[in-house]
Amino acid sequence: MKIVLDCDTGIDDAVAIAYALACPEAEILGIGSVLGNVESDLAAENTLKLLKVAGRTEVPVALGAHRPLVRPPGYAKFVHGEDGLGNTYMPPSGLSVSGEHAADQIIRLARQHPGEVTLVPVGRLTNLALALHKEPQLPSLVKGVVLMGGAATAPGNVGPVAEANIWGDPEAASVVFAAPWPITMVGLDVTMASLLLEKHLECWREADTPLTRWLLAVVDFYFEYYSASFGRRACAMHDSVAVGIALGLVMEQESHLLPVSVVTHDGPAMGQTVVDRRPLVTPGRYSAEGANTRVMMKIDGEAFIDHMVERIALYQVR
Ligand code: RIB
Ligand code: CA
């Protein structure tokens, strides 16, 4: 499967990229960067650091949006560390970004492989919105979008009802959800049930590869942050779930094709993905006809994380 990732790398982004690299099902055509967990250029460098460790420096990395479409930038370094990699300050990659903007990379790859590319954004949707603006035909050029973001019925993680990737650039998210392409929304409803646990860290310790050693160092900060909020030793692997779903490697238990819109006005609901669930309960009165978004409601998160951790443990650094 041809995929283009778009990441605000970030600790769970780094795990997601490592997982994608470890999956023979995935042909990673390129990785874009976007601001979010950290600045866009730092996110790109973090991606390059990971590719270096994994021996996969052939994957092109394109620098993307430094700011949201209309709002001021902001970051989540309290979750991911000042360097975005858990304050590990890993050695510089020594590698360079491709020189193409991440939005242009998306457009180019979509044109090169019409109908074949799945976009997998696991950060804010700014680059996708920019790409749509530059190439309005983009929806007919790609296979679809599998995004990590939003929440249907789960509580938000940056506000009462908003998830960070949508809240961080709601105008961009609104443009992306409104475009005529098939979207799979992988939100907090399923990612908060996909937890990395102590036993998984043990599996990586046993594997003891350059990649698992790197990830163990990086994940520690994030693990501590989430463990404090969960009240148990665990952290959510948001972004890996989107990659797994894009690759068809997640056991899906409930999903619905439903209309989704995004709240872009300020207030307690800003950044909410409003999932219209009325067709589920009153199908005679409300229809989901024309809806473009498959909303993931339930997966086997435990089985998925076991599989994801194992794939990474088995990855042979090239
Ligand atoms: O809300 C979780 C999302 O926000 C993840 O993609 C995480 O990496 C951050 O971008
Ligand atoms: Ca992310």
Side-chain angles (χ1 to χ4, degrees):
M1 258 194 92
K2 293 179 175 34
I3 62 170
V4 178
L5 295 166
D6 201 78
C7 307
D8 56 336
T9 323
I11 296 171
D12 64 318
D13 303 75
V15 176
I17 297 168
Y19 169 56
L21 294 172
C23 285
E25 294 86 351
E27 185 185 346
I28 309 172
L29 300 180
I31 305 178
S33 77
V34 65
L35 86 148
N37 294 324
V38 292
E39 295 85 348
S40 186
D41 46 359
L42 187 48
E45 167 63 3
N46 288 344
T47 300
L48 290 169
K49 284 180 178 177
L50 174 62
L51 292 175
K52 180 82 181 285
V53 170
R56 297 289 292 277
T57 55
E58 81 282 2
V59 178
V61 177
L63 191 57
H66 293 278
R67 46 176 305 130
L69 291 187
V70 294
R71 292 170 187 272
Y75 312 103
K77 297 187 177 185
F78 59 102
V79 184
H80 297 266
E82 284 300 310
D83 63 347
L85 295 177
N87 292 332
T88 52
Y89 296 97
M90 292 297 190
S93 70
L95 303 168
S96 304
V97 290
S98 65
E100 192 178 33
H101 191 283
D104 294 325
Q105 176 173 261
I106 288 172
I107 295 168
R108 178 178 56 77
L109 291 169
R111 284 179 183 153
Q112 274 173 7
H113 309 279
E116 288 186 64
V117 175
T118 300
L119 304 177
V120 188
V122 295
R124 301 177 191 191
L125 295 167
T126 321
N127 290 330
L128 268 71
L130 292 172
L132 279 168
H133 183 72
K134 284 185 109 169
E135 174 48 287
Q137 297 308 314
L138 188 62
S140 62
L141 292 172
V142 299
K143 191 167 172 191
V145 178
V146 180
L147 64 89
M148 191 282 130
T153 60
N157 63 359
V158 283
V161 286
E163 181 280 328
N165 289 341
I166 307 300
W167 179 88
D169 195 346
E171 285 76 15
S174 180
V175 167
V176 168
F177 276 100
W181 47 15
I183 297 174
T184 302
M185 180 178 119
V186 182
L188 297 174
D189 309 275
V190 289
T191 68
M192 289 297 278
S194 303
L195 303 180
L196 192 74
L197 306 172
E198 213 39 85
K199 67 171 182 175
H200 299 122
L201 302 182
E202 195 45 46
C203 170
W204 283 349
R205 276 184 211 112
E206 272 172 28
D208 197 29
T209 71
L211 183 60
T212 59
R213 284 197 289 277
W214 192 91
L215 287 176
L216 280 167
V218 162
V219 97
D220 190 53
F221 185 92
Y222 184 78
F223 199 83
E224 290 303 319
Y225 171 84
Y226 264 98
S227 296
S229 7
F230 279 146
R232 61 184 279 224
R233 305 279 298 156
C235 60
M237 291 286 95
H238 304 287
D239 294 347
S240 300
V241 184
V243 172
I245 288 177
L247 298 178
L249 296 172
V250 174
M251 201 186 295
E252 301 175 11
Q253 295 170 329
E254 185 188 346
S255 69
H256 304 284
L257 192 63
L258 292 169
V260 178
S261 50
V262 177
V263 176
T264 53
H265 57 261
D266 290 335
M270 206 274 276
Q272 180 181 15
T273 43
V274 179
V275 177
D276 188 350
R277 297 166 64 242
R278 290 174 297 178
L280 300 180
V281 283
T282 43
R285 183 168 294 269
Y286 297 103
S287 146
E289 209 185 314
N292 66 342
T293 304
R294 193 163 63 96
V295 180
M296 297 303 310
M297 294 302 298
K298 203 161 182 275
I299 61 169
D300 188 339
E302 269 182 53
F304 171 67
I305 298 297
D306 288 350
H307 144 86
M308 188 264 308
V309 165
E310 194 183 23
R311 282 281 176 103
I312 291 175
L314 292 173
Y315 177 78
Q316 300 288 322
V317 169
R318 296 181 190 171

